[in-house]
Amino acid sequence: MFIAKQKRKENIAEYLLYMWQVEDIIRSMNCDIRLIDSNIVSQYPAQQQAEVHEWWDGLITMMQLENKKTEGHLQINNNILLMLTEVHLELLKSSKFPEYGAEFYRTLPFIVELRAKSGNKTGELETCFNALYGTLMLRLQGKEITPGTQAAIKQISHFLAMLAAFFKKNEEKPLFDDDDDDDGSNG
């Protein structure tokens, strides 16, 4: 919970990956708050345990209500992806951020290749996050990552880090004027 709050403030991309990992942790413990209490909550100082318990229990409840006990992502996490996509599209549309567009187009061939290999029809950003998360899981399992995958992950990581930095700047002070959308019409 405390890690999630910190990551949300500092890097939205890391936050989303962390929250996907939290979803998988909950699944690995069969959505059972007692297992989470004994394996996770108990590791916190006594004065923080009630708050941490409440956070995990709330996520379990959401997963049950949203029927995400075995797969998929919580709506709160999907909303983060939607917010990132909005900023991504605004950055691409704006002439103020050519470096972002260039970075995206350097990443796009990897996205296309990943989609083709997976057969997935997910959006560009979700494809990037799936690739990073999948690689994280492979590393945790001690599995080999090919040089080609490593190159793709390096580029995707760089791209998402740039997006996360722009996202943070946009939250602090909006980067996009309403005039950026203006097509010159008055109607």
Side-chain angles (χ1 to χ4, degrees), residues 43-169:
Q43 306 299 312
Y44 285 84
Q47 66 272 21
Q48 294 177 341
Q49 287 182 6
E51 186 179 3
V52 173
H53 168 91
E54 187 177 316
W55 185 75
W56 284 92
D57 196 39
L59 291 172
I60 290 169
T61 300
M62 282 187 251
M63 289 178 76
Q64 291 168 336
L65 291 173
E66 294 178 25
N67 199 24
K68 303 295 181 191
K69 290 172 23 176
T70 57
E71 65 181 6
H73 299 297
L74 288 169
Q75 189 59 48
I76 58 170
N77 295 329
N78 290 336
N79 290 346
I80 295 292
L81 195 55
L82 288 172
M83 292 182 335
L84 279 165
T85 300
E86 288 174 16
V87 171
H88 165 70
L89 294 173
E90 288 293 330
L91 287 164
L92 289 178
K93 186 167 64 168
S94 175
S95 60
K96 296 179 195 173
F97 309 100
E99 71 280 9
Y100 180 82
E103 194 63 34
F104 171 68
Y105 289 110
R106 276 191 289 277
T107 309
L108 192 56
F110 295 110
I111 296 169
V112 170
E113 183 180 348
L114 286 166
R115 272 196 198 149
K117 283 181 180 178
S118 71
N120 238 334
K121 301 276 189 229
T122 58
E124 293 152 350
L125 294 183
E126 188 170 356
T127 299
C128 290
F129 279 102
N130 284 336
L132 288 181
Y133 191 72
T135 303
L136 171 66
M137 293 299 106
L138 289 174
R139 285 188 179 129
L140 289 173
Q141 296 167 9
K143 294 188 177 171
E144 186 178 337
I145 299 166
T146 65
T149 299
Q150 289 176 15
I153 292 305
K154 182 177 180 183
Q155 179 59 41
I156 289 168
S157 295
H158 191 266
F159 164 66
L160 287 179
M162 182 181 267
L163 174 57
F166 276 117
F167 184 90
K168 183 177 180 183
K169 286 179 187 174

